[in-house]
Amino acid sequence: MAKPVNSELQLRLQQRRRAVYAALSEVFSERTSLINLLFVLWEREFAAQPHFLVVRYVSRCADVAGLTDGDRMQLIRRTFEMLVRSYDSLPPYPESALAAIADMPVGTIASATGQAEAGVRATSPPTVAPPPPSSESLSVRSRQSEPAELITAAVARSIMAPVRAQFRSQPATIRDMLSDAFKHTRLMEREQLRLLTWAAEGASDALTLSGYPEEQLKQLIHALYLCACDALGPVAADRLLSQSINRAQALPAAMEFPPDNLL
Amino acid sequence: MRHLKAVVFVIALLCSGSVLAAEAVSQPLLHSVWLVFCASLVLMMQPGFALLESGFSRSKNAVNVLMKNFSDCAFASIGFWAVGYGLMFGANPSGWIGTDQFLPSHGDALGNVLFQTFFAATAATIISGAVAERIRFLPYLLATFIVVVAVYPIFGSWVWGGTSESPGWLRALGFLDSAGGSAVHAVGGFLALGGCLVLGPRYGRCGRDGSTRDIPGHSLPLASLGAFLLWIGWLGFNAGSTNADFSDLGRIVLNTHLAAAAGIVGAIGLQALQRKPILMTTVINGALGGLVSITAGAKYIDPAGALLIGLFAGAIVVLGSALLRRFQIDDVVDAVPVHGFCGIYGTLMVGLLPADRAFDWHFLGIQALGAGTAALWAFACGWLIFTLIDKTIGIRAPTDHEQTGLDYTEHYELGYPEFMAIRTHPAVDGRASEGQS
């Protein structure tokens, strides 16, 4: 026979759920998919944990999503701020979102969360190339995507982060730079459009790559390198490319697809 | 035995400055030995250029720059010996082009052939640094070859060609250029300008806001060593152009040295006046600007004049470099201001400062005509050659090669395989050498 649920405990769970969702919404604004995924992470692993483990939750969010120190601190601040509010003063979380992904397997959640890293970084000041995603999330992702595509996506995000930071308010300029870069690459038109769309959306979502031949992946990285040259100068672009490749070496997928292949 | 005496004489001359041995050898033989000695010094300018240009380039292009210098010396030497020397120094009845002495193989002039060959190699290699990091290797060699078999010797024939009875047309007018301030350096510099314009800047060098970004070279120590080698070689470059007249030897060498020193002072002084950082790169180029500017007149100008010329040459290098940046012309080593602008300037100064013809306006006009002709001829030829090559076989390296670095894409070799802080190329796994063996 199931033990009756204590109403006070239930209220506290609801209150914390609202608080966490509100904090995630404030920090990640309109990145709904990322918010939902991190919310599920909360529900799965931290909802029933003691109050002080909220810090560990934020840390886990940062690891999974590759948050910068600034984002991490912001998330901690906002979460604690929300947790001390009363239940009624917190906005309700959308039950539908929770229900829709509640049954999602853990691997899928980690994978999707990893792919949403770019979206997270769009809200942070990426003056330096971001660190590689955690090995945990990547190991899950590696099982689901081709290593070449994972590595390429990681390198692409890493190259574009400082470009986005520099031209945060000028997405049209980034598109222009990419369009100019395409003139020097052998990137297929379909891939060009995909890259432009990605840039047009602020390069905030994951760059989904599937079924790309290796040569096209190289051309894609080359186009981004040229964009970085245009945006930041060749010296910074060289350094950025080199750092991105070095960082990608640390990913598990690099065992199967060395990032050097993109050079 | 005569050769031995000549060698002994040169050693005595070098070691003690004594001229007592002068009577022991004949003048032509002495001149021949002197030319060979100076030619060796001029050859030393090639490693000088190689190190300078390589140091001013990014590490991913270091080998490519060295390869260009090494190879253009070879191609230029063969081409100039076979064709260029005849066009330049052959009989010149029209005053426009030499018509004999192709493939010179005997006679007393072979010392001069050797000396002039290294001059031609110098003119060719000036282009190398300006167009570095984005030009394909073989098309570059083709351009170099055309320069030494046609562009350089034809202009040279106007300045130095023919005989006193049927001289080149500029020589006939009284144009003076003792060691190639216009014929070698201005020609090389303006050829480089044509090449830079056709090639365009390195990707990302120029910002969308009209700015020009710095692309620092990978090794200033190498560049400064190269500049010192050039400085030493320049002594032979100018001192070898004495035409068997050794009376001015000391003055020529002293002038050369003083102009280089003053070039440094000029570059430092202007940067200090502008309250800008005193850059090593600019100081190096200031020295070279001083050397270039005294090349045309080392023989005709006194040391105080040389000092003055060098001083302003240092400033011209600083201002010329800024001018190129303003027009977004990408000259990796500032060859255009150093060789082009300072070559023209030095040639003009020959019309202003020689003790016996100071401010002779007619003479200055002739010098201006010669300097202008050098600039126009070289720029037009450079633009035409590079454009033709670009339109036919392509001359600009693709951007993915620019990204990877020309060391890897052109040569499959790396300058610093174990010490690359910035790596934009795949690992070299030795397949190339395996293939060769």
Side-chain angles (χ1 to χ4, degrees):
Chain A
M1 190 172 177
K3 192 177 175 182
V5 177
N6 184 307
S7 61
E8 191 182 342
L9 174 63
Q10 183 64 36
L11 182 64
R12 201 164 64 238
L13 283 174
Q14 290 287 349
Q15 190 264 339
R16 287 171 57 172
R17 191 176 282 157
R18 280 191 173 195
V20 166
Y21 195 89
L24 291 171
S25 299
E26 285 208 8
V27 172
F28 301 115
S29 57
E30 294 170 359
R31 321 280 178 217
T32 314
S33 60
L34 177 66
I35 293 167
N36 287 342
L37 289 165
L38 295 177
F39 190 44
V40 170
L41 184 67
W42 165 264
E43 282 296 304
R44 283 271 169 80
E45 300 184 22
F46 293 92
Q49 297 290 333
H51 189 271
F52 61 87
L53 286 182
V54 166
V55 175
R56 188 175 290 175
Y57 166 68
V58 172
S59 176
R60 184 74 190 283
C61 286
D63 284 346
V64 169
L67 293 183
T68 63
D69 289 346
D71 283 336
R72 181 195 295 245
M73 287 309 297
Q74 193 188 359
L75 185 56
I76 286 176
R77 275 197 300 270
R78 302 304 294 159
T79 307
F80 276 107
E81 196 181 314
M82 295 296 172
L83 281 171
V84 296
R85 285 193 189 179
S86 65
Y87 177 79
D88 293 333
S89 66
L90 291 166
Y93 60 86
E95 294 283 353
S96 58
L98 184 60
I101 55 175
D103 297 329
M104 194 181 289
V106 173
T108 310
I109 292 167
S111 169
T113 307
Q115 287 193 2
E117 285 161 30
V120 178
R121 292 201 186 95
T123 65
S124 63
T127 49
V128 293
S134 70
S135 57
E136 182 188 346
S137 62
L138 279 165
S139 64
V140 178
R141 294 169 58 194
S142 301
R143 286 195 294 274
Q144 296 187 339
S145 303
E146 290 296 323
E149 291 157 3
L150 285 172
I151 293 291
T152 307
V155 173
R157 284 195 303 270
S158 187
I159 291 175
M160 282 305 282
V163 175
R164 287 203 317 269
Q166 182 86 9
F167 293 87
R168 189 186 294 277
S169 57
Q170 304 166 56
T173 308
I174 296 182
R175 283 199 301 275
D176 289 347
M177 290 188 289
L178 272 175
S179 299
D180 286 347
F182 292 149
K183 294 172 191 164
H184 301 278
T185 64
R186 297 181 295 280
L187 203 59
M188 307 283 281
E189 198 172 343
R190 182 173 63 97
E191 280 73 47
Q192 290 184 14
L193 282 172
R194 180 170 296 182
L195 212 51
L196 277 175
T197 309
W198 183 58
E201 291 166 353
S204 55
D205 297 325
L207 179 59
T208 50
L209 306 165
S210 59
Y212 277 39
E214 188 176 321
E215 178 56 28
Q216 283 295 294
L217 295 177
K218 282 178 72 170
Q219 290 298 315
L220 188 143
I221 293 299
H222 180 52
L224 294 177
Y225 167 82
L226 293 179
C227 181
C229 275
D230 207 346
L232 312 169
V235 176
D238 281 350
R239 193 178 301 124
L240 200 53
L241 178 65
S242 186
Q243 286 173 350
S244 303
I245 292 292
N246 287 340
R247 286 198 167 100
Q249 303 271 16
L251 301 179
M255 298 290 285
E256 294 177 65
F257 183 81
D260 265 18
N261 292 357
L262 295 172
L263 295 173
Chain B
M1 191 61 190
R2 289 170 63 211
H3 287 80
L4 184 62
K5 283 181 180 177
V7 171
V8 168
F9 163 75
V10 170
I11 292 170
L13 191 68
L14 289 172
C15 294
S16 64
S18 168
V19 293
L20 294 176
E23 294 171 3
V25 291
S26 68
Q27 193 75 357
L29 180 63
L30 177 61
H31 186 230
S32 183
V33 173
W34 178 242
L35 277 179
V36 171
F37 174 72
C38 287
S40 305
L41 284 178
V42 178
L43 179 60
M44 195 187 290
M45 292 171 73
Q46 292 293 329
F49 276 118
L51 293 178
L52 179 89
E53 294 171 10
S54 177
F56 278 169
S57 306
R58 285 171 288 180
S59 56
K60 62 181 177 179
N61 298 309
V63 170
N64 177 253
V65 172
L66 293 172
M67 277 290 286
K68 281 194 298 176
N69 280 275
F70 228 83
S71 308
D72 70 28
C73 181
F75 278 71
S77 298
I78 294 168
F80 188 77
W81 170 76
V83 181
Y85 186 82
L87 292 179
M88 192 160 171
F89 292 102
N92 196 347
S94 65
W96 289 92
I97 195 164
T99 53
D100 61 7
Q101 298 192 47
F102 299 107
L103 300 165
S105 300
H106 51 78
D108 294 337
L110 290 184
N112 192 45
V113 173
L114 178 73
F115 187 65
Q116 293 299 334
T117 296
F118 292 137
F119 266 47
T122 301
T125 212
I126 287 168
I127 307 165
S128 159
V131 297
E133 301 203 296
R134 66 229 196 255
I135 192 169
R136 289 173 57 214
F137 180 62
L138 291 177
Y140 164 77
L141 289 183
L142 177 61
T144 295
F145 193 74
I146 296 170
V147 165
V148 292
V149 300
V151 182
Y152 167 73
I154 288 175
F155 184 78
S157 76
W158 302 345
V159 179
W160 295 324
T163 60
S164 51
E165 289 79 32
S166 61
W169 68 270
L170 278 172
R171 182 181 171 188
L173 290 173
F175 178 73
L176 290 180
D177 179 358
S178 70
S182 65
V184 177
H185 295 284
V187 164
F190 280 90
L191 278 164
L193 179 61
C196 287
L197 288 177
V198 173
L199 277 165
R202 288 165 286 178
Y203 204 95
R205 161 82 161 162
C206 304
R208 287 176 177 255
D209 56 357
S211 63
T212 302
R213 296 163 174 142
D214 285 327
I215 306 179
H218 81 282
S219 174
L220 282 181
L222 276 189
S224 58
L225 175 61
F228 270 123
L229 286 178
L230 282 167
W231 194 331
I232 296 167
W234 227 290
L235 303 180
F237 196 90
N238 287 356
S241 308
T242 51
N243 291 331
D245 176 12
F246 293 106
S247 59
D248 290 329
L249 199 56
R251 182 166 67 165
I252 290 170
V253 176
L254 179 63
N255 281 352
T256 305
H257 183 66
L258 283 178
I264 293 175
V265 174
I268 290 175
L270 185 59
Q271 288 177 104
L273 283 174
Q274 291 177 325
R275 297 185 183 279
K276 288 182 177 173
I278 297 171
L279 301 175
M280 177 80 191
T281 47
T282 312
V283 169
I284 286 174
N285 281 334
L288 299 182
L291 289 165
V292 169
S293 65
I294 200 60
T295 300
K299 191 173 170 182
Y300 313 111
I301 291 167
D302 58 25
L307 200 70
L308 197 65
I309 287 175
L311 200 64
F312 281 99
I316 286 173
V317 168
V318 176
L319 298 173
S321 178
L323 189 70
L324 290 190
R325 291 173 69 96
R326 185 181 181 130
F327 286 100
Q328 299 200 323
I329 297 170
D330 186 12
D331 177 353
V332 176
V333 300
D334 277 341
V336 175
V338 168
H339 297 276
F341 298 168
C342 288
I344 295 294
Y345 157 72
T347 307
L348 291 174
M349 287 301 102
V350 177
L352 271 180
L353 294 181
D356 55 338
R357 300 171 77 175
F359 296 97
D360 176 344
W361 298 113
H362 175 69
F363 179 47
L364 180 62
I366 292 170
Q367 290 300 112
L369 176 67
T373 305
L376 277 177
W377 166 253
F379 175 73
C381 289
W383 187 84
L384 189 66
I385 291 167
F386 282 95
T387 302
L388 284 175
I389 294 176
D390 190 38
K391 298 289 181 198
T392 51
I393 59 174
I395 198 161
R396 169 102 193 204
T399 51
D400 50 348
H401 289 203
E402 228 178 300
Q403 172 194 312
T404 306
L406 301 183
D407 289 3
Y408 185 88
T409 59
E410 294 279 349
H411 313 293
Y412 201 68
E413 283 182 309
L414 303 174
Y416 309 95
E418 293 168 322
F419 308 106
M420 302 285 275
I422 302 292
R423 196 162 69 79
T424 54
H425 50 75
V428 171
D429 57 13
R431 278 176 297 187
S433 54
E434 284 167 16
Q436 285 162 3
S437 64

